[in-house]
Amino acid sequence: MAVWALGINHTTAPLDLRGRFAFALDQIAPTLHGLRQALAPDSPQQGIESAILSTCNRTEIYCAGDARALERTFGWLAHSGGVSPDVLRSHSYVLQNGPAARHAFRVASGLDSMVLGEPQILGQMKSAVRAAEDAGALGSTLNQLFQRSFAVAKEVRTSTEIGAHSISMAAAAVRLASQLFEDLARTKVLFVGAGEMIELTATHFAARSPQTIAIANRTLERGEKLASRFGGEVMRLADLPERLHEFDIVVSCTASSLPIVGLGAVERALKKRRHRPMFMVDLAVPRDIEPEVKALEDVYLYTVDDLATVVQTAQANRQAAVAQAEAIIDAGVQSFMHWLDERDPQHGVVPLIQQIHAQTEAWQAAEIARAHKRLAQGEDIQTVLDALAKGLSNKLLHGTLVELHAGDAATRQQTARTVSRLFLRQQQGTGRR
C-alpha cells in the first residue's frame, strides 16, 4: 500500500500547459473511471483509490494502492493532456507517502498557493473529494488523507495568522485597498500592462471578487489572454484617458520609459467621478503615473517603495505564521503516517489486531456452542458457566504458557517480562477496561 500525488502547478508549468490538464468538475467522475480503468484494468472498482484536484493553478492526482501503479498514473496523465511523457516529467512533481501527505496538507492550508493563505483552495479540494466520493473512487486511505488535510487546514487558519499578513507588494496593494474601500467586491479595478507583476497583482485582487476587472495593454492579444483568465475585459491603452473615471482602483506596471497616466488625465477623471476617491498603485520603474498625482486630495497613490515598506513591516509576523503552520503540518503528517503504518499488511499492528479478534471470536463461538449443548442435556447452569469460563481461559492462556517454557533461559526471561506487562498490569481508574 502506498499513497502518491502527481501534479503540475503554477510554479512548475506555464499557463498553456496547465490548460491541457484542466478538468471541469462535471468531468471528474468519467475521468476518474478512465484513470482507475488504466491503473487496474481487471478490477477498476476494487483497485486504486483516486481523486483529482483541478484548478486554474494546478491539476493533481492523488492515489492510494499498489505502488507499482504509480508509473501508469504518470503515463495516463501525459496521454490525457496530449503531451509526451518527457514534457510532462519536466513540468510535474511526484510525491509518495509522507511527502505526499505533507503536500496535501500544505495545499489545503494555502501554503502552496500563488497567494499565500488564500482560502479558496480549501473549498476546491473539498469539492474534488465529494466528486471522487460520488464516483466511488474514494476509499478509506484517501478519505483519511483528505479529512486530515481539512483538519490541519482548519487548525492552521484558527491557530496562526497565515492569511492575515502581506507576502508581496501585490498582496500589500490589496491590503491597502481594503483599508480604503469597505468592500472590494463593489469596486472596479483596472490593470495597466500585462506582464508578470500585473498577473500576480490581478490574482490577488481577483481573489476578492471585484465587480469589474479590466486590462489595458498596448498589445490587445496579450491583454485578452490575461483578461480571459479573470473573466475581465480588455481595452486599448489609447482609450485609457477617456475611461479612467470608470475605475476605483488602478494598478499600473509597464516597461514604458515615460509616464502613461498624467496629472491632467487623473484630474479629469476625478471631476467625472464627482471626486469619489481613487486608489492607484504604480509598480513600474521608471514611473507609469506622474508623481504630482499624489498631491491630489481624492487620490491615494502608492509606489513600489511605499509597498516595500508595508511588506517589510509584515515580515516578522509572516515568518512566525508560516513557521507555526509548518509545525502543525509536521504533526499532521506524523499522525497520518502512523495511521498508515499501522495498516501495513506485513508490518502494521492493525492486521494483527484483526487476527486476534477473529481468533478470540472463534474461541467464544466454540465455547458458547458447547455450553448450549450441555444446557440442552440438562446440566446445571452454574456448572456450565464455570466450564465455559475455564474453557475460554485455557484457550487464551495456552499459547502464552507454552512460550514461557520454550527456549533458553534468556528467551524465557524476556517472555516472562512481556507476559507480566501484558497480563499483570495494574489497572488504574474505574473507567478502564
Side-chain angles (χ1 to χ4, degrees), residues 284-310:
V285 180
R287 295 172 184 263
D288 275 347
I289 302 174
E290 288 186 342
E292 292 81 6
V293 170
K294 195 165 190 173
L296 296 175
E297 186 174 347
D298 299 303
V299 173
Y300 298 82
L301 173 62
Y302 294 87
T303 65
V304 170
D305 289 345
D306 296 327
L307 296 183
T309 301
V310 176

PDB file of all heavy atoms in Angstrom, residues 284-310:
ATOM      1  N   ALA A 284       5.729  50.387 -11.502  1.00  0.00           N
ATOM      2  CA  ALA A 284       6.729  50.489 -12.574  1.00  0.00           C
ATOM      3  C   ALA A 284       7.960  51.276 -12.131  1.00  0.00           C
ATOM      4  O   ALA A 284       7.883  52.192 -11.315  1.00  0.00           O
ATOM      5  CB  ALA A 284       6.110  51.159 -13.795  1.00  0.00           C
ATOM      6  N   VAL A 285       9.074  50.900 -12.695  1.00  0.00           N
ATOM      7  CA  VAL A 285      10.337  51.636 -12.531  1.00  0.00           C
ATOM      8  C   VAL A 285      11.003  51.721 -13.905  1.00  0.00           C
ATOM      9  O   VAL A 285      11.413  50.690 -14.439  1.00  0.00           O
ATOM     10  CB  VAL A 285      11.288  50.923 -11.552  1.00  0.00           C
ATOM     11  CG1 VAL A 285      12.584  51.709 -11.397  1.00  0.00           C
ATOM     12  CG2 VAL A 285      10.638  50.714 -10.198  1.00  0.00           C
ATOM     13  N   PRO A 286      11.047  52.941 -14.516  1.00  0.00           N
ATOM     14  CA  PRO A 286      10.565  54.232 -14.010  1.00  0.00           C
ATOM     15  C   PRO A 286       9.038  54.310 -13.913  1.00  0.00           C
ATOM     16  O   PRO A 286       8.339  53.413 -14.364  1.00  0.00           O
ATOM     17  CB  PRO A 286      11.111  55.218 -15.042  1.00  0.00           C
ATOM     18  CG  PRO A 286      11.249  54.420 -16.294  1.00  0.00           C
ATOM     19  CD  PRO A 286      11.633  53.043 -15.859  1.00  0.00           C
ATOM     20  N   ARG A 287       8.539  55.395 -13.356  1.00  0.00           N
ATOM     21  CA  ARG A 287       7.122  55.526 -13.020  1.00  0.00           C
ATOM     22  C   ARG A 287       6.195  55.479 -14.240  1.00  0.00           C
ATOM     23  O   ARG A 287       6.533  55.976 -15.314  1.00  0.00           O
ATOM     24  CB  ARG A 287       6.879  56.857 -12.301  1.00  0.00           C
ATOM     25  CG  ARG A 287       7.543  56.978 -10.951  1.00  0.00           C
ATOM     26  CD  ARG A 287       7.374  58.407 -10.450  1.00  0.00           C
ATOM     27  NE  ARG A 287       8.064  58.646  -9.194  1.00  0.00           N
ATOM     28  CZ  ARG A 287       7.489  58.603  -7.998  1.00  0.00           C
ATOM     29  NH1 ARG A 287       6.203  58.287  -7.907  1.00  0.00           N
ATOM     30  NH2 ARG A 287       8.177  58.855  -6.907  1.00  0.00           N
ATOM     31  N   ASP A 288       5.018  54.891 -14.013  1.00  0.00           N
ATOM     32  CA  ASP A 288       3.939  54.939 -15.002  1.00  0.00           C
ATOM     33  C   ASP A 288       2.987  56.098 -14.729  1.00  0.00           C
ATOM     34  O   ASP A 288       2.301  56.570 -15.632  1.00  0.00           O
ATOM     35  CB  ASP A 288       3.127  53.641 -14.980  1.00  0.00           C
ATOM     36  CG  ASP A 288       3.743  52.548 -15.833  1.00  0.00           C
ATOM     37  OD1 ASP A 288       4.648  52.854 -16.630  1.00  0.00           O
ATOM     38  OD2 ASP A 288       3.325  51.380 -15.691  1.00  0.00           O
ATOM     39  N   ILE A 289       2.900  56.511 -13.474  1.00  0.00           N
ATOM     40  CA  ILE A 289       1.965  57.567 -13.057  1.00  0.00           C
ATOM     41  C   ILE A 289       2.777  58.777 -12.596  1.00  0.00           C
ATOM     42  O   ILE A 289       3.688  58.640 -11.761  1.00  0.00           O
ATOM     43  CB  ILE A 289       1.046  57.081 -11.920  1.00  0.00           C
ATOM     44  CG1 ILE A 289       0.270  55.831 -12.378  1.00  0.00           C
ATOM     45  CG2 ILE A 289       0.076  58.185 -11.493  1.00  0.00           C
ATOM     46  CD1 ILE A 289      -0.552  55.184 -11.273  1.00  0.00           C
ATOM     47  N   GLU A 290       2.444  59.950 -13.124  1.00  0.00           N
ATOM     48  CA  GLU A 290       3.193  61.156 -12.754  1.00  0.00           C
ATOM     49  C   GLU A 290       3.136  61.371 -11.240  1.00  0.00           C
ATOM     50  O   GLU A 290       2.071  61.265 -10.626  1.00  0.00           O
ATOM     51  CB  GLU A 290       2.622  62.378 -13.476  1.00  0.00           C
ATOM     52  CG  GLU A 290       2.946  62.398 -14.960  1.00  0.00           C
ATOM     53  CD  GLU A 290       2.507  63.681 -15.643  1.00  0.00           C
ATOM     54  OE1 GLU A 290       1.665  64.414 -15.074  1.00  0.00           O
ATOM     55  OE2 GLU A 290       3.007  63.959 -16.754  1.00  0.00           O
ATOM     56  N   PRO A 291       4.281  61.662 -10.614  1.00  0.00           N
ATOM     57  CA  PRO A 291       4.327  61.788  -9.147  1.00  0.00           C
ATOM     58  C   PRO A 291       3.425  62.893  -8.608  1.00  0.00           C
ATOM     59  O   PRO A 291       2.985  62.831  -7.450  1.00  0.00           O
ATOM     60  CB  PRO A 291       5.801  62.075  -8.867  1.00  0.00           C
ATOM     61  CG  PRO A 291       6.370  62.555 -10.160  1.00  0.00           C
ATOM     62  CD  PRO A 291       5.599  61.866 -11.228  1.00  0.00           C
ATOM     63  N   GLU A 292       3.124  63.914  -9.431  1.00  0.00           N
ATOM     64  CA  GLU A 292       2.262  65.018  -8.969  1.00  0.00           C
ATOM     65  C   GLU A 292       0.852  64.553  -8.631  1.00  0.00           C
ATOM     66  O   GLU A 292       0.123  65.221  -7.883  1.00  0.00           O
ATOM     67  CB  GLU A 292       2.204  66.114 -10.045  1.00  0.00           C
ATOM     68  CG  GLU A 292       3.512  66.860 -10.269  1.00  0.00           C
ATOM     69  CD  GLU A 292       4.470  66.092 -11.156  1.00  0.00           C
ATOM     70  OE1 GLU A 292       4.081  65.028 -11.693  1.00  0.00           O
ATOM     71  OE2 GLU A 292       5.619  66.559 -11.316  1.00  0.00           O
ATOM     72  N   VAL A 293       0.466  63.397  -9.159  1.00  0.00           N
ATOM     73  CA  VAL A 293      -0.878  62.861  -8.889  1.00  0.00           C
ATOM     74  C   VAL A 293      -1.081  62.626  -7.394  1.00  0.00           C
ATOM     75  O   VAL A 293      -2.189  62.754  -6.865  1.00  0.00           O
ATOM     76  CB  VAL A 293      -1.090  61.553  -9.682  1.00  0.00           C
ATOM     77  CG1 VAL A 293      -2.365  60.837  -9.233  1.00  0.00           C
ATOM     78  CG2 VAL A 293      -1.144  61.839 -11.174  1.00  0.00           C
ATOM     79  N   LYS A 294      -0.008  62.316  -6.705  1.00  0.00           N
ATOM     80  CA  LYS A 294      -0.104  62.001  -5.269  1.00  0.00           C
ATOM     81  C   LYS A 294      -0.611  63.186  -4.459  1.00  0.00           C
ATOM     82  O   LYS A 294      -1.184  63.012  -3.373  1.00  0.00           O
ATOM     83  CB  LYS A 294       1.261  61.566  -4.743  1.00  0.00           C
ATOM     84  CG  LYS A 294       1.208  60.890  -3.388  1.00  0.00           C
ATOM     85  CD  LYS A 294       2.507  60.150  -3.089  1.00  0.00           C
ATOM     86  CE  LYS A 294       2.378  59.274  -1.856  1.00  0.00           C
ATOM     87  NZ  LYS A 294       3.568  58.423  -1.639  1.00  0.00           N
ATOM     88  N   ALA A 295      -0.452  64.395  -4.985  1.00  0.00           N
ATOM     89  CA  ALA A 295      -0.881  65.596  -4.257  1.00  0.00           C
ATOM     90  C   ALA A 295      -2.381  65.834  -4.361  1.00  0.00           C
ATOM     91  O   ALA A 295      -2.935  66.642  -3.601  1.00  0.00           O
ATOM     92  CB  ALA A 295      -0.125  66.822  -4.773  1.00  0.00           C
ATOM     93  N   LEU A 296      -3.052  65.149  -5.262  1.00  0.00           N
ATOM     94  CA  LEU A 296      -4.496  65.344  -5.417  1.00  0.00           C
ATOM     95  C   LEU A 296      -5.235  64.808  -4.191  1.00  0.00           C
ATOM     96  O   LEU A 296      -4.930  63.720  -3.678  1.00  0.00           O
ATOM     97  CB  LEU A 296      -4.998  64.644  -6.674  1.00  0.00           C
ATOM     98  CG  LEU A 296      -4.442  65.194  -7.998  1.00  0.00           C
ATOM     99  CD1 LEU A 296      -4.929  64.329  -9.173  1.00  0.00           C
ATOM    100  CD2 LEU A 296      -4.858  66.644  -8.197  1.00  0.00           C
ATOM    101  N   GLU A 297      -6.221  65.572  -3.762  1.00  0.00           N
ATOM    102  CA  GLU A 297      -6.883  65.283  -2.481  1.00  0.00           C
ATOM    103  C   GLU A 297      -7.625  63.950  -2.464  1.00  0.00           C
ATOM    104  O   GLU A 297      -7.665  63.267  -1.447  1.00  0.00           O
ATOM    105  CB  GLU A 297      -7.864  66.416  -2.159  1.00  0.00           C
ATOM    106  CG  GLU A 297      -8.502  66.280  -0.781  1.00  0.00           C
ATOM    107  CD  GLU A 297      -9.355  67.480  -0.435  1.00  0.00           C
ATOM    108  OE1 GLU A 297      -9.263  68.506  -1.135  1.00  0.00           O
ATOM    109  OE2 GLU A 297     -10.125  67.384   0.547  1.00  0.00           O
ATOM    110  N   ASP A 298      -8.197  63.555  -3.588  1.00  0.00           N
ATOM    111  CA  ASP A 298      -9.042  62.353  -3.606  1.00  0.00           C
ATOM    112  C   ASP A 298      -8.351  61.150  -4.226  1.00  0.00           C
ATOM    113  O   ASP A 298      -9.013  60.175  -4.598  1.00  0.00           O
ATOM    114  CB  ASP A 298     -10.336  62.653  -4.368  1.00  0.00           C
ATOM    115  CG  ASP A 298     -11.132  63.767  -3.706  1.00  0.00           C
ATOM    116  OD1 ASP A 298     -11.451  63.610  -2.509  1.00  0.00           O
ATOM    117  OD2 ASP A 298     -11.401  64.779  -4.369  1.00  0.00           O
ATOM    118  N   VAL A 299      -7.024  61.204  -4.345  1.00  0.00           N
ATOM    119  CA  VAL A 299      -6.265  60.095  -4.899  1.00  0.00           C
ATOM    120  C   VAL A 299      -5.324  59.537  -3.840  1.00  0.00           C
ATOM    121  O   VAL A 299      -4.650  60.298  -3.129  1.00  0.00           O
ATOM    122  CB  VAL A 299      -5.448  60.538  -6.141  1.00  0.00           C
ATOM    123  CG1 VAL A 299      -4.530  59.408  -6.598  1.00  0.00           C
ATOM    124  CG2 VAL A 299      -6.383  60.923  -7.268  1.00  0.00           C
ATOM    125  N   TYR A 300      -5.284  58.219  -3.732  1.00  0.00           N
ATOM    126  CA  TYR A 300      -4.361  57.541  -2.822  1.00  0.00           C
ATOM    127  C   TYR A 300      -3.381  56.752  -3.696  1.00  0.00           C
ATOM    128  O   TYR A 300      -3.697  55.670  -4.189  1.00  0.00           O
ATOM    129  CB  TYR A 300      -5.126  56.623  -1.876  1.00  0.00           C
ATOM    130  CG  TYR A 300      -6.095  57.374  -0.987  1.00  0.00           C
ATOM    131  CD1 TYR A 300      -7.354  57.736  -1.469  1.00  0.00           C
ATOM    132  CD2 TYR A 300      -5.744  57.739   0.305  1.00  0.00           C
ATOM    133  CE1 TYR A 300      -8.243  58.443  -0.666  1.00  0.00           C
ATOM    134  CE2 TYR A 300      -6.623  58.446   1.123  1.00  0.00           C
ATOM    135  CZ  TYR A 300      -7.871  58.794   0.621  1.00  0.00           C
ATOM    136  OH  TYR A 300      -8.750  59.492   1.421  1.00  0.00           O
ATOM    137  N   LEU A 301      -2.208  57.348  -3.918  1.00  0.00           N
ATOM    138  CA  LEU A 301      -1.221  56.769  -4.825  1.00  0.00           C
ATOM    139  C   LEU A 301      -0.068  56.151  -4.036  1.00  0.00           C
ATOM    140  O   LEU A 301       0.509  56.785  -3.152  1.00  0.00           O
ATOM    141  CB  LEU A 301      -0.676  57.853  -5.758  1.00  0.00           C
ATOM    142  CG  LEU A 301       0.494  57.447  -6.660  1.00  0.00           C
ATOM    143  CD1 LEU A 301       0.091  56.325  -7.605  1.00  0.00           C
ATOM    144  CD2 LEU A 301       1.004  58.667  -7.444  1.00  0.00           C
ATOM    145  N   TYR A 302       0.239  54.909  -4.364  1.00  0.00           N
ATOM    146  CA  TYR A 302       1.342  54.196  -3.724  1.00  0.00           C
ATOM    147  C   TYR A 302       2.336  53.732  -4.783  1.00  0.00           C
ATOM    148  O   TYR A 302       1.953  53.266  -5.857  1.00  0.00           O
ATOM    149  CB  TYR A 302       0.819  52.978  -2.951  1.00  0.00           C
ATOM    150  CG  TYR A 302      -0.044  53.347  -1.766  1.00  0.00           C
ATOM    151  CD1 TYR A 302      -1.415  53.545  -1.926  1.00  0.00           C
ATOM    152  CD2 TYR A 302       0.518  53.505  -0.501  1.00  0.00           C
ATOM    153  CE1 TYR A 302      -2.211  53.887  -0.841  1.00  0.00           C
ATOM    154  CE2 TYR A 302      -0.269  53.855   0.589  1.00  0.00           C
ATOM    155  CZ  TYR A 302      -1.636  54.047   0.412  1.00  0.00           C
ATOM    156  OH  TYR A 302      -2.415  54.398   1.485  1.00  0.00           O
ATOM    157  N   THR A 303       3.615  53.871  -4.471  1.00  0.00           N
ATOM    158  CA  THR A 303       4.673  53.448  -5.375  1.00  0.00           C
ATOM    159  C   THR A 303       5.293  52.139  -4.877  1.00  0.00           C
ATOM    160  O   THR A 303       4.916  51.613  -3.827  1.00  0.00           O
ATOM    161  CB  THR A 303       5.772  54.510  -5.447  1.00  0.00           C
ATOM    162  OG1 THR A 303       6.404  54.608  -4.155  1.00  0.00           O
ATOM    163  CG2 THR A 303       5.206  55.867  -5.844  1.00  0.00           C
ATOM    164  N   VAL A 304       6.279  51.643  -5.630  1.00  0.00           N
ATOM    165  CA  VAL A 304       6.987  50.434  -5.230  1.00  0.00           C
ATOM    166  C   VAL A 304       7.604  50.602  -3.852  1.00  0.00           C
ATOM    167  O   VAL A 304       7.543  49.702  -3.000  1.00  0.00           O
ATOM    168  CB  VAL A 304       8.082  50.091  -6.273  1.00  0.00           C
ATOM    169  CG1 VAL A 304       8.983  48.980  -5.747  1.00  0.00           C
ATOM    170  CG2 VAL A 304       7.453  49.690  -7.588  1.00  0.00           C
ATOM    171  N   ASP A 305       8.204  51.755  -3.601  1.00  0.00           N
ATOM    172  CA  ASP A 305       8.841  51.991  -2.304  1.00  0.00           C
ATOM    173  C   ASP A 305       7.818  52.001  -1.174  1.00  0.00           C
ATOM    174  O   ASP A 305       8.077  51.493  -0.074  1.00  0.00           O
ATOM    175  CB  ASP A 305       9.602  53.324  -2.321  1.00  0.00           C
ATOM    176  CG  ASP A 305      10.847  53.268  -3.193  1.00  0.00           C
ATOM    177  OD1 ASP A 305      11.266  52.148  -3.553  1.00  0.00           O
ATOM    178  OD2 ASP A 305      11.391  54.341  -3.509  1.00  0.00           O
ATOM    179  N   ASP A 306       6.648  52.576  -1.422  1.00  0.00           N
ATOM    180  CA  ASP A 306       5.597  52.597  -0.396  1.00  0.00           C
ATOM    181  C   ASP A 306       5.179  51.174  -0.021  1.00  0.00           C
ATOM    182  O   ASP A 306       5.035  50.843   1.165  1.00  0.00           O
ATOM    183  CB  ASP A 306       4.371  53.364  -0.899  1.00  0.00           C
ATOM    184  CG  ASP A 306       4.667  54.826  -1.166  1.00  0.00           C
ATOM    185  OD1 ASP A 306       5.515  55.390  -0.450  1.00  0.00           O
ATOM    186  OD2 ASP A 306       4.063  55.381  -2.100  1.00  0.00           O
ATOM    187  N   LEU A 307       4.976  50.339  -1.038  1.00  0.00           N
ATOM    188  CA  LEU A 307       4.541  48.972  -0.780  1.00  0.00           C
ATOM    189  C   LEU A 307       5.648  48.157  -0.126  1.00  0.00           C
ATOM    190  O   LEU A 307       5.374  47.269   0.695  1.00  0.00           O
ATOM    191  CB  LEU A 307       4.102  48.305  -2.079  1.00  0.00           C
ATOM    192  CG  LEU A 307       2.874  48.927  -2.762  1.00  0.00           C
ATOM    193  CD1 LEU A 307       2.509  48.119  -3.993  1.00  0.00           C
ATOM    194  CD2 LEU A 307       1.698  49.002  -1.815  1.00  0.00           C
ATOM    195  N   ALA A 308       6.901  48.422  -0.485  1.00  0.00           N
ATOM    196  CA  ALA A 308       8.018  47.706   0.124  1.00  0.00           C
ATOM    197  C   ALA A 308       8.047  47.930   1.629  1.00  0.00           C
ATOM    198  O   ALA A 308       8.367  47.024   2.409  1.00  0.00           O
ATOM    199  CB  ALA A 308       9.331  48.145  -0.499  1.00  0.00           C
ATOM    200  N   THR A 309       7.684  49.127   2.061  1.00  0.00           N
ATOM    201  CA  THR A 309       7.641  49.428   3.499  1.00  0.00           C
ATOM    202  C   THR A 309       6.579  48.580   4.188  1.00  0.00           C
ATOM    203  O   THR A 309       6.802  48.039   5.285  1.00  0.00           O
ATOM    204  CB  THR A 309       7.338  50.920   3.723  1.00  0.00           C
ATOM    205  OG1 THR A 309       8.349  51.707   3.093  1.00  0.00           O
ATOM    206  CG2 THR A 309       7.289  51.251   5.208  1.00  0.00           C
ATOM    207  N   VAL A 310       5.412  48.431   3.546  1.00  0.00           N
ATOM    208  CA  VAL A 310       4.342  47.604   4.117  1.00  0.00           C
ATOM    209  C   VAL A 310       4.793  46.148   4.214  1.00  0.00           C
ATOM    210  O   VAL A 310       4.558  45.471   5.220  1.00  0.00           O
ATOM    211  CB  VAL A 310       3.067  47.708   3.251  1.00  0.00           C
ATOM    212  CG1 VAL A 310       1.988  46.772   3.777  1.00  0.00           C
ATOM    213  CG2 VAL A 310       2.567  49.146   3.227  1.00  0.00           C
TER     214      VAL A 310
END
